[in-house]
Amino acid sequence: MNTAKLIGAAFVVAAALTLAGCAGETTPSGSPSSSAPSESPATPVIAPVTMDAGDLQGATVDLVVGQVLNIDTGDLAVDSYTGEVADTAVAVFVQGREDGSAVFNPGIEARSAGTTEVTMTNAQGGIQPLQFTVEVTAR
């Protein structure tokens, strides 16, 4: 056999083995397996609720346990608000902050089923405290 045919044959075998490796392994039943997880996460991700700070006055915000109220502060600094939650077993205030190039709005994190009152004040002064209700239900 000449050298060109031997190199060509080696190339074909190598390509076939490479493609076979890409096809994935099979389980004992013969079905393909995958390295990607096939099960859903134990705890589903819950999308946050986003509201403008100006829309919260007197509002009732419905959340489920594990969900977050993301508060858009508009033109005001995200760290200018502080919050007080009447029942911290139901929900907690999360301070807004800037971390390098990332900006995190203030928010409320729902912890357990129940209802609580929230008061947010702004350090920049001259702004009326925001008072609203958070109702948290179980998933």
Side-chain angles (χ1 to χ4, degrees):
M1 186 181 253
N2 76 30
T3 306
K5 287 184 181 179
L6 186 57
I7 292 173
F11 179 79
V12 170
V13 170
L17 290 174
T18 301
L19 291 175
C22 292
E25 301 173 315
T26 57
T27 61
S29 67
S31 62
S33 67
S34 171
S35 60
S38 60
E39 295 182 29
S40 61
T43 305
V45 176
I46 303 169
V49 172
T50 300
M51 292 183 70
D52 292 335
D55 294 337
L56 289 171
Q57 189 66 273
T60 297
V61 179
D62 295 318
L63 301 173
V64 296
V65 173
Q67 192 170 34
V68 174
L69 169 62
N70 176 46
I71 302 168
D72 184 349
T73 61
D75 293 337
L76 300 174
V78 294
D79 61 354
S80 65
Y81 279 98
T82 57
E84 183 177 322
V85 179
D87 187 349
T88 56
V90 174
V92 293
F93 178 78
V94 179
Q95 183 67 46
R97 69 186 193 287
E98 291 188 35
D99 186 7
S101 62
V103 177
F104 300 90
N105 289 334
I108 303 294
E109 180 184 339
R111 292 208 164 162
S112 66
T115 301
T116 189
E117 299 301 316
V118 177
T119 301
M120 288 177 48
T121 54
N122 191 289
Q124 294 181 354
I127 298 173
Q128 177 181 357
L130 298 173
Q131 296 178 325
F132 59 97
T133 303
V134 173
E135 290 184 0
V136 180
T137 56
R139 294 183 211 204

